[in-house]
Structure formats: C-alpha cells, structure tokens
Amino acid sequence: MERKIFFFDIDGTLLDCEHGLVKMQDKVYDALLELKQNGHLLCFSTGRCYAYLTPQLKSLAPDGMILSNGANVIYRGQTLHEFYFPQAEVDEIVDYCKQNDIEYVIEGKEHFVSLKRFKQMNAFFELFEISKDNMLEEMPTDFKTYKMAVIPHNHQEADAIYQRYHQHYQMMRHQDDSFDIYPLHISKGKALRHILQEVHLSLEDCIAFGDGFNDLEILEVAGLGIAMGNAQKSVKDKAKDVCSSVQENGVAKKLVELGYIKGEN
C-alpha cells in the first residue's frame, strides 16, 4: 500500500475531555502506532498549542503538527510556518478583557499566559489535563502569541466581544460562550499544504479526521476527509466519509475498515 499522510484533530476526534475521555483509548492509541509502523506519516491537526499537548499525545512522536488552528506548523521538529499576533493587538484584547473582567489565555508554543485567579480558565485546564507547569502569569517580551481564548460571563458579553473583534479575527464560539481568537487568514487546510510541500505528497495522499468547524477546510481539501460520528451535521455534510464517534473508537475502526491497519485479531 502506498504511503499516505494522516491528519488527526485531537479534541472530539482522539479525545473527548468534556465527557471524561482525557486519554486516548487503547484501541485508538495502538491504531496510530500501527499506522506509523506501516510506514505512513502521522500528523496532529489541532486548535491546541504545543504547550497543551499531554504526555500521551507527545509519546506518539507525530511526524507533523498543525497547531493553534494553523498558526504554527511543525514537521519533525522544524517550524515550517508560523503566524503570531502583533504585540499591540494582544495588548488591546487583554486590556478589553481586564476592563470587562473577562478571563483570557494567551497561547504561545512552549508556554501560555493566564492568571491563577481565573476560576473558569483554570477549571478548563484541569478538565483537559493541561499541565500548569507551562503557565506564565506575565508575558515575556519575546513571547509569540499564536492564539488567544476568552471566557465571557454570559451571552450578552459574548455577543459584545464578538461584535468588537469578528471583522478582524476568526472567532470560534463554543457552547459555553467562550471563544478561540485567531487570525483571519490561517486555517488547518492551508497549514496542511506546508507539510505536503515538505514531504512531497499530494492532496490525494491525505486522509484527515475531524469533528469541528475548524476542521471543515481540511476535511474538504484532503483526498479523504472523515468526520467523526459525534460531529455536527454540517461538518458531516462537508466530509467525504463518516466514522463512529470518538467514544466508540471511531478512528481505530475506520483505519481497519480502510485497510491501513489490521487492528485486533
């Protein structure tokens, strides 16, 4: 079988932290290892920054990583592409948050900046088992901000911050009214091309798994884009195939079905 390159979203695809699945199930973890052993390339494609990756995720030693929704693209330890916020823009958003008592996190690569007194943000770190060893309370002068996240108190505050910034940034709104904020022109789909150029493979050689709205483009452009069973209908409609849910080991089952691994005997 010809070598393929696989892109896996993390939250909602490999993990489901909001429903207690904070580590990959054994079948999924073993499936990804087998995929690498069979000579295929393994990449993460995630909204997480590198500092948010857990030891289990890192232990897979992925060949490539699309991080922060495409703001930071790495292949075998080499940064292929990065885009970070101008510091003046970071300061403006932080000032707005301080004036309105809104919790925030500033995401870099090795570290992220937040405050220990932020109850909701720290609850998020605990829920997703994100190590606070990588958290700073003050931003170094050379800090590169790839993405930000904010947690407004209510719908009204969420609507206000959306109206203020949505023309300048991508504002990915979550069910709890929190937002990921990142540049308008980046995406996982665009980041994928940086890795393909490095490994000399085509879009037809790509297989991508995802569940969220930030996965839409990569699911569309990949030769085979596979939506998780737990994805929204609009995501499934854009994908070329659908697998079982993250809770049902959907990734592992689909890799066996497609013939890329044998899985359990």
Side-chain angles (χ1 to χ4, degrees):
M1 184 176 290
E2 293 184 2
R3 184 176 72 160
K4 298 289 186 179
I5 183 166
F6 290 79
F7 292 85
F8 297 95
D9 172 50
I10 293 177
D11 296 294
T13 300
L14 301 179
L15 306 177
D16 189 9
C17 298
E18 293 182 355
H19 298 95
L21 190 60
V22 297
K23 291 183 173 61
M24 278 175 280
Q25 298 179 87
D26 290 344
K27 288 183 179 179
V28 172
Y29 185 84
D30 292 343
L32 299 187
L33 285 180
E34 185 179 347
L35 199 63
K36 291 189 67 177
Q37 291 165 1
N38 290 344
H40 302 293
L41 297 176
L42 170 66
C43 301
F44 292 148
S45 172
T46 179
R48 293 190 182 212
C49 59
Y50 185 80
Y52 283 5
L53 299 184
T54 63
Q56 187 198 39
L57 289 165
K58 292 178 182 177
S59 72
L60 284 169
D63 297 285
M65 291 184 285
I66 295 172
L67 303 167
S68 302
N69 286 329
N72 186 21
V73 185
I74 298 171
Y75 184 75
R76 293 185 175 173
Q78 176 187 356
T79 297
L80 301 182
H81 172 78
E82 63 179 352
F83 183 91
Y84 45 92
F85 285 79
Q87 189 57 46
E89 295 183 20
V90 177
D91 292 341
E92 198 281 330
I93 295 172
V94 169
D95 286 344
Y96 179 86
C97 289
K98 288 179 177 179
Q99 292 168 12
N100 293 277
D101 194 30
I102 293 172
E103 296 186 11
Y104 61 87
V105 61
I106 305 165
E107 301 174 19
K109 182 181 177 181
E110 305 286 351
H111 298 91
F112 54 95
V113 180
S114 194
L115 300 180
K116 293 179 181 178
R117 66 177 178 83
F118 285 165
K119 293 182 179 180
Q120 294 180 87
M121 196 62 75
N122 281 288
F124 161 76
F125 298 146
E126 291 176 9
L127 178 64
F128 283 70
E129 292 196 352
I130 293 170
S131 172
K132 294 182 186 177
D133 291 343
N134 300 316
M135 189 174 87
L136 306 173
E137 288 207 275
E138 294 186 6
M139 186 184 299
T141 55
D142 60 347
F143 193 85
K144 294 180 179 179
T145 301
Y146 294 122
K147 186 163 71 75
M148 300 181 69
V150 296
I151 306 180
H153 296 100
N154 50 52
H155 292 302
Q156 184 177 3
E157 273 190 1
D159 289 343
I161 199 167
Y162 177 80
Q163 290 301 322
R164 183 180 180 93
Y165 292 113
H166 80 279
Q167 292 183 330
H168 306 286
Y169 307 103
Q170 295 190 60
M171 304 281 292
M172 185 174 170
R173 191 168 186 167
H174 303 286
Q175 290 184 346
D176 63 354
D177 280 331
S178 64
F179 286 98
D180 284 345
I181 304 175
Y182 50 101
L184 284 171
H185 64 278
I186 68 163
S187 71
K188 293 182 180 183
K190 292 176 182 176
L192 171 148
R193 289 176 167 85
H194 292 287
I195 294 179
L196 291 185
Q197 185 175 7
E198 182 71 15
V199 300
H200 306 293
L201 292 174
S202 70
L203 289 171
E204 289 305 311
D205 297 315
C206 298
I207 298 173
F209 288 79
D211 75 298
F213 296 117
N214 58 341
D215 296 311
L216 281 173
E217 185 179 337
I218 200 169
L219 293 178
E220 287 184 280
V221 302
L224 179 57
I226 303 169
M228 303 302 295
N230 47 280
Q232 296 281 346
K233 182 179 182 301
S234 57
V235 177
K236 293 177 182 177
D237 289 344
K238 293 288 186 180
K240 300 175 181 71
D241 198 359
V242 178
C243 67
S244 301
S245 73
V246 58
Q247 292 281 354
E248 299 170 310
N249 296 303
V251 164
K253 290 179 179 177
K254 181 56 71 171
L255 291 175
V256 171
E257 178 186 324
L258 294 172
Y260 290 105
I261 64 170
K262 292 182 179 179
E264 294 182 344
N265 294 325

